[in-house]
Amino acid sequence: MKIGFLTCVPVAIGVAGYGIAFGVIANQAGLSVAEAALMSATVVAGASQLIAVELWADPIPIGAIVFTTLAVNLRYSLMGAALEPWFSHLSPKQVYGSLFLMADENWALTIRDLRTGSGRGAFLLGSGIAIWTFWVVSTVLGALAGGVIGDPTRYGFDFILVAVFVALVAELWDGRSTLLPWVVSLGTALLTASLLPGRWYILAGGIAAATLEVIRYE
Amino acid sequence: MSDETKTMPLSTLEGALSLDPLVVAVITAMAIVTYATKVGGLWLLSRIEVSDRLEAGLAVLPGAIVVAILGPELAAAGPAEWGAAVVVAVIAWRSNNILLALVGGVLAVVLFRGLF
């Protein structure tokens, strides 16, 4: 567990970058510092939290937020399932506790560690604690900074959200196989946005791309 | 703006710590849904066989959703934002450093908004 924590610290510092951005954006969306921190502490899933505060409005579009969170995080089911062989010697309590702290970054590190045959079942937990700590603290810092910034358009801070997603795209790019599903998602989103009110185009784009992928799989 | 920040430190602190019941409810729903996805796969694995086909479909979801968010957002923006988006993408891709990319993007958007 300690090894997991230490290995993950450099990665967790990167996570803190997203955390600060999330805090700023959450604050600008109208969440208090406490609410932003609560979300980071209990949801522990960066991309879906950023998308949720992007959807945030008055009144809160609850359905869109919860469904989109589900869609964005469905991948965790696969990631958790992939760890199954290494969980066999842990108690159910340890397994389900570790999974709460599972995020993309520490999952990737855990898979790498376990493939080397270390058998360190607590690696996910240790790295998860590192991620969680940095994530929550950086959210608070970002939310406090967001309050100081004031009018977001003045210094270009309104652009942070777009910038975060552009950076995420650069990170999620997985070679040429990504191109077609992304183009389909983009086209569907643009079309849906012009036809339907609200933010349903986000789910429409994602579902269209996933459907295409299921159909064309060989 | 400067007046406000001077005269309301107490209410600002209160605002920072406030927890709206509806907001807490939405966050709780998000937390439950997310935890369900994290443990759901492992739980389901003992019951059904997930095909590689379905797995491939789920794997493209995060990227596709982010693209779906960005598309209409950028379509509604202007040349300053498009240029800054390119700056962010290049820095993120070259340096793998999110903070550097964000700072570069924000500086670029301020610069480009002044130019265009």
Side-chain angles (χ1 to χ4, degrees), chain A residues 98-172:
Chain A
S98 302
L99 283 172
F100 174 72
L101 296 172
M102 179 176 72
D104 299 281
E105 292 81 3
N106 60 333
W107 176 81
L109 287 178
T110 304
I111 285 281
R112 220 178 51 186
D113 185 74
L114 295 173
R115 282 222 175 109
T116 64
S118 77
R120 292 190 282 248
F123 191 93
L124 183 68
L125 183 61
S127 53
I129 291 170
I131 295 266
W132 187 89
T133 309
F134 277 75
W135 180 236
V136 174
V137 170
S138 60
T139 297
V140 171
L141 292 179
L144 288 172
V148 176
I149 290 163
D151 176 19
T153 54
R154 196 159 41 147
Y155 306 109
F157 286 108
D158 58 316
F159 185 70
I160 288 182
L161 188 69
V162 175
V164 168
F165 285 127
V166 171
L168 262 182
V169 160
E171 211 166 279
L172 291 168

Side-chain angles (χ1 to χ4, degrees), chain B residues 10-102:
Chain B
L10 255 185
S11 57
T12 316
L13 180 67
E14 233 165 70
L17 294 176
S18 77
L19 286 169
D20 182 88
L22 180 64
V23 172
V24 173
V26 174
I27 292 172
T28 308
M30 287 176 65
I32 291 170
V33 162
T34 303
Y35 187 64
T37 64
K38 286 181 182 178
V39 299
L42 200 61
W43 182 83
L44 208 65
L45 201 68
S46 51
R47 274 138 243 262
I48 66 152
E49 186 88 1
V50 179
S51 67
D52 292 350
R53 187 177 282 275
L54 183 61
E55 195 165 321
L58 291 177
V60 300
L61 263 182
I65 285 177
V66 174
V67 168
I69 291 171
L70 270 179
E73 191 104 26
L74 282 176
E81 285 78 16
W82 300 337
V86 173
V87 170
V88 175
V90 169
I91 299 178
W93 174 51
R94 279 298 165 94
S95 73
N96 263 326
N97 184 331
I98 172 80
L99 273 186
L100 198 65
L102 294 184

